[in-house]
């Protein structure tokens, strides 16, 4: 799979997802399905759990359809939003743990100071840019990220699998993320 | 009152990847509720997941999968969940869900020296999660731990060495650190503590009561 050249493909995915949210556009949804279903199935089959990857993929796509009206393009690209739905269903199915998440409507929630980070937001909404940044990581850092994102492995499981000290795994993750943030430019501070 | 001590990147990445177990994730999610800066970094970590999904090798989708999903689509989108909550609240979500309400309903369990705790149950056996209440000006019993310890301040503040931690701040301590957080004198300090091994208190008296208290 090659990186998207300039984020165009993902931009259209974002527009399709917005169309599903706005008007339950079934044609838009089918295009999304044709693109994401095989990827989600591949993602689910890497978790190594007992639930069928096909079933989890279908659950994810049905959830995408149902929740599409909640998708907010200013918070991230379509693939980011769809990834988060797939990830949560996978945790549910394979680990039987809850995934605690903050609630933006909670009275104790501390809101963003200003929605001024438009430029920074745009940067990581561009999935092609994130993909290119990923391709530039050294192999040892990319491996640690892939084991986390695709195989759902804890830091200590990665350390055991690669026969590395836990501290090395943590520092590779930090180095990788630092480099990604610099390349993507999504971190204003 | 903005947060000074933030989440380390490895926690944010593991959380976004879905690879962080439930106990640690409670501390991460609670900090994210209180910290717009870390939410921005978390959004980048989510975007990495999205790009990785894009990057996966994909066979063409199968028609029977599409037909199966299409048959499951209903019209009318899921109503947005709204469950108005009385404000103000001291504990952010999702911590309130685990505690069973806000701080005023907590049934504290004495730990000795005026300190008390509430154990929080999770499905995650690799961690221990608790609320700790340390009386104003008093230390948390000195302890070392077998692995990592995350301490997130919810009310009041504590000092560890020269560093002050206040609401929203997170202290990320590893196994090598023997530390002695002390609540600052103005108020009791309540914090969320997550450890990946049972705490080992250094003082003999606490070690003596440790089995009884089950800490
Ligand atoms: Zn923070």
């Amino acid at each position: 799979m090659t990186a998207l050249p300039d984020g165009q493909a993902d931009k259209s995915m974002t527009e399709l997802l917005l169309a599903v949210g706005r008007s339950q556009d079934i044609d838009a949804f089918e295009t999304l399905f044709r693109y994401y279903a095989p990827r989600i199935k591949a993602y689910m089959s890497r978790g190594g759990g007992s639930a069928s990857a096909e079933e989890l993929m279908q659950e994810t796509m049905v959830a995408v359809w149902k929740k599409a009206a909640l998708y907010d393009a200013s918070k991230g690209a379509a693939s980011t939003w769809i990834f988060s739905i797939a990830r949560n269903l996978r945790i549910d199915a394979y680990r039987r743990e809850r995934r605690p998440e903050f609630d933006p409507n909670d009275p104790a929630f501390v809101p963003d100071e200003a929605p001024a980070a438009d430029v920074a937001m745009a940067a990581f909404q561009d999935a092609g840019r994130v993909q290119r940044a990923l391709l530039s990581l050294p192999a040892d850092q990319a491996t640690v990220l892939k084991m986390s994102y695709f195989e759902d492995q804890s830091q200590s499981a990665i350390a055991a699998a690669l026969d590395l000290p836990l501290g090395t795994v943590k520092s590779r993750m930090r180095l990788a993320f630092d480099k990604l943030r610099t390349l993507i430019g999504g971190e204003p501070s | 009152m903005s947060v000074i001590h933030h989440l380390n990147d490895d926690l944010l990445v593991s959380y976004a990847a879905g690879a962080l177990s439930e106990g640690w994730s409670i501390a991460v999610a609670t900090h994210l509720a209180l910290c717009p800066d870390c939410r921005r970094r978390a959004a980048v970590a989510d975007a990495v997941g999205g790009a990785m999904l894009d990057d996966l090798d994909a066979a063409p989708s199968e028609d029977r999968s599409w037909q199966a999903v299409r048959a499951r689509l209903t019209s009318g989108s899921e109503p947005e969940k709204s469950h108005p909550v009385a404000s103000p609240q001291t504990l952010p979500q999702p911590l309130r869900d685990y505690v069973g309400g806000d701080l005023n309903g907590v049934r504290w369990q004495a730990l000795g020296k005026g300190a008390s705790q509430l154990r929080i149950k999770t499905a995650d056996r690799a961690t221990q999660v608790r609320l700790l209440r340390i009386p104003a000006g008093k230390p948390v019993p000195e302890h070392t731990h077998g692995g990592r310890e995350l301490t997130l301040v919810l009310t009041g503040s504590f000092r560890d060495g020269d560093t002050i931690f206040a609401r929203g701040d997170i202290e990320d301590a590893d196994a090598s650190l023997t530390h002695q957080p002390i609540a600052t004198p103005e108020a009791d300090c309540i914090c969320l503590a997550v450890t990946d091994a049972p705490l080992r208190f250094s003082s003999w008296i606490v070690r003596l009561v440790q089995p009884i208290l089950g800490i």
Side-chain angles (χ1 to χ4, degrees):
Chain A
M1 178 65 202
T2 49
L4 302 170
D6 52 4
Q8 284 308 306
D10 195 76
K11 198 173 170 202
S12 67
M13 289 298 153
T14 296
E15 274 154 18
L16 290 166
L17 182 55
L18 288 169
V20 174
R22 229 176 8 245
S23 58
Q24 299 199 308
D25 181 334
I26 189 83
D27 295 330
F29 184 70
E30 182 172 359
T31 310
L32 284 172
F33 183 92
R34 299 283 178 193
Y35 178 80
Y36 284 110
R39 288 175 170 77
I40 294 167
K41 195 169 165 180
Y43 171 72
M44 293 301 184
S45 66
R46 290 185 181 221
S50 53
S52 111
E54 171 72 21
E55 178 52 33
L56 285 171
M57 177 280 286
Q58 292 193 15
E59 262 185 63
T60 304
M61 291 310 296
V62 171
V64 167
W65 170 263
K66 285 185 180 162
K67 296 178 181 196
L70 302 176
Y71 169 64
D72 176 355
S74 74
K75 297 269 163 67
S79 50
T80 301
W81 189 75
I82 292 172
F83 165 76
S84 68
I85 290 177
R87 171 195 64 203
N88 293 1
L89 283 170
R90 191 169 85 166
I91 291 172
D92 215 43
Y94 290 169
R95 277 221 308 268
R96 307 206 173 279
E97 285 183 3
R98 287 164 68 185
R99 184 176 194 273
E101 289 188 318
F102 63 81
D103 172 4
N105 299 313
D106 174 26
F109 180 82
V110 176
D112 298 355
E113 295 90 354
D118 286 2
V119 180
M121 281 306 210
F124 64 80
Q125 277 168 32
D126 181 346
R129 189 164 170 171
V130 181
Q131 279 182 304
R132 284 192 299 278
L134 275 171
L135 289 173
S136 75
L137 288 179
D140 57 351
Q141 293 173 19
T143 299
V144 167
L145 281 192
K146 281 185 180 151
M147 290 176 84
S148 304
Y149 279 88
F150 289 150
E151 289 160 33
D152 191 13
Q153 301 231 47
S154 69
Q155 294 171 9
S156 41
I158 294 172
L162 299 180
D163 198 18
L164 290 170
L166 182 57
T168 307
V169 172
K170 284 185 198 175
S171 68
R172 283 186 190 172
M173 290 176 88
R174 291 175 189 177
L175 286 168
F177 191 56
D178 210 48
K179 179 156 192 211
L180 290 174
R181 281 214 316 271
T182 310
L183 290 171
I184 297 164
E187 233 277 73
S189 76
Chain B
M1 196 205 73
S2 79
V3 173
I4 293 169
H5 301 283
H6 296 281
L7 293 166
N8 278 312
D9 283 344
D10 68 278
L11 287 170
L12 277 176
V13 169
S14 291
Y15 178 73
L20 194 65
S21 72
E22 187 180 359
W24 305 113
S25 296
I26 295 172
V28 171
T30 303
H31 180 85
L32 290 177
L34 300 174
C35 183
D37 286 350
C38 284
R39 286 203 299 275
R40 274 194 288 279
R41 286 190 293 138
V44 176
D46 282 343
V48 170
M52 286 198 165
L53 187 63
D54 275 327
D55 245 354
L56 277 173
D57 283 326
S61 73
E62 294 171 35
D63 277 329
R64 63 192 167 91
S65 289
W66 166 243
Q67 297 305 336
V69 166
R70 197 189 165 134
R72 290 170 66 179
L73 305 181
T74 49
S75 61
S77 59
E78 210 167 63
E80 198 165 349
K81 280 181 227 153
S82 71
H83 31 80
V85 183
S87 59
Q89 298 282 341
T90 304
L91 301 181
Q93 284 291 25
L95 192 51
R96 279 206 309 283
D97 274 352
Y98 281 94
V99 171
D102 205 18
L103 276 178
N104 46 21
V106 171
R107 297 171 71 153
W108 296 99
Q109 173 195 20
L111 260 182
K113 295 187 175 179
S116 45
Q117 69 167 356
L118 173 78
R119 306 252 335 231
I120 292 173
K121 287 197 178 68
T122 70
D124 175 8
R125 287 163 180 231
T127 56
Q128 291 200 29
V129 185
R130 74 194 73 215
L131 293 184
L132 283 174
R133 189 179 65 189
I134 310 151
K138 293 284 166 37
V140 176
E142 187 179 332
H143 63 280
T144 52
H145 21 87
R148 197 173 211 172
E149 178 183 41
L150 295 178
T151 311
L152 171 64
V153 178
L154 298 160
T155 71
S157 56
F158 71 80
R159 169 191 295 279
D160 196 353
D162 291 333
T163 314
I164 300 268
F165 294 83
R167 179 168 167 86
D169 283 330
I170 195 154
E171 182 178 43
D172 188 344
D174 69 12
S176 62
L177 188 73
T178 296
H179 60 148
Q180 182 144 40
I182 300 171
T184 53
E186 313 81 57
D188 290 359
C189 178
I190 295 174
C191 41
L192 171 71
V194 184
T195 51
D196 67 354
L199 286 173
R200 291 195 301 264
F201 287 96
S202 312
S203 91
W204 67 272
I205 182 79
V206 182
R207 205 177 306 138
L208 213 59
V209 299
Q210 203 164 341
I212 305 167
L213 298 175
I215 57 176

